[in-house]
C-alpha cells in the first residue's frame, strides 16, 4: 500500500547514499517532486527530507553543502575516512 511505498523511499535513499559514498561520488540528486499535499501528509518529498535530517544520514552527507530545492534534494556525500598505516 501507500505507506509501505513511502517507507521504501527511506530504504532507497539510504542505499543510494551508501552506494555513492562507497563509489567515491560527490553528490546525489533526488528528484522528489513538489509537495502538493497539506502539512503533515507523507510524500516522497517529506520522506527524502526526513532521512536527510536523521542521525543515519550524518555519516553519509555533509549537511551544510546540501541543497534543498522545491522539487529536488542535492545531497553532498561525505567521503569515506581513509585509514593511514
Amino acid at each position: 500500500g501507500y505507506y509501505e511505498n513511502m517507507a521504501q523511499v527511506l530504504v532507497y535513499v539510504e542505499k543510494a547514499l551508501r552506494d555513492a559514498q562507497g563509489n567515491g561520488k560527490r553528490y546525489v540528486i533526488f528528484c522528489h517532486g513538489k509537495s502538493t499535499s497539506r502539512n503533515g501528509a507523507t510524500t516522497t518529498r517529506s520522506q527524502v527530507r526526513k532521512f536527510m535530517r536523521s542521525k543515519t544520514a550524518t555519516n553519509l552527507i555533509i549537511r551544510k553543502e546540501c541543497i534543498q530545492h522545491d522539487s529536488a534534494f542535492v545531497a553532498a556525500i561525505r567521503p569515506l575516512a581513509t585509514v593511514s598505516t
Side-chain angles (χ1 to χ4, degrees):
Y2 182 79
Y3 290 101
E4 290 82 10
N5 288 338
M6 289 297 106
Q8 277 302 115
V9 170
L10 296 174
V11 173
Y12 170 78
V13 169
E14 183 175 358
K15 182 178 181 340
L17 292 174
R18 289 191 187 283
D19 289 349
Q21 188 180 52
N23 291 320
K25 302 297 180 187
R26 294 196 55 204
Y27 299 95
V28 175
I29 300 174
F30 295 97
C31 297
H32 51 57
K34 290 186 178 186
S35 181
T36 58
S37 61
R38 63 194 174 283
N39 287 340
T42 303
T43 62
T44 301
R45 179 180 186 264
S46 67
Q47 292 296 85
V48 169
R49 291 176 182 224
K50 175 182 176 179
F51 184 84
M52 297 306 174
R53 291 188 306 268
S54 73
K55 287 183 181 182
T56 305
T58 301
N59 292 326
L60 299 171
I61 64 172
I62 305 168
R63 284 193 178 93
K64 66 181 180 179
E65 294 180 19
C66 292
I67 302 168
Q68 292 185 51
H69 186 269
D70 286 347
S71 61
F73 190 100
V74 180
I77 306 301
R78 183 176 302 282
L80 287 173
T82 55
V83 179
S84 57
T85 55

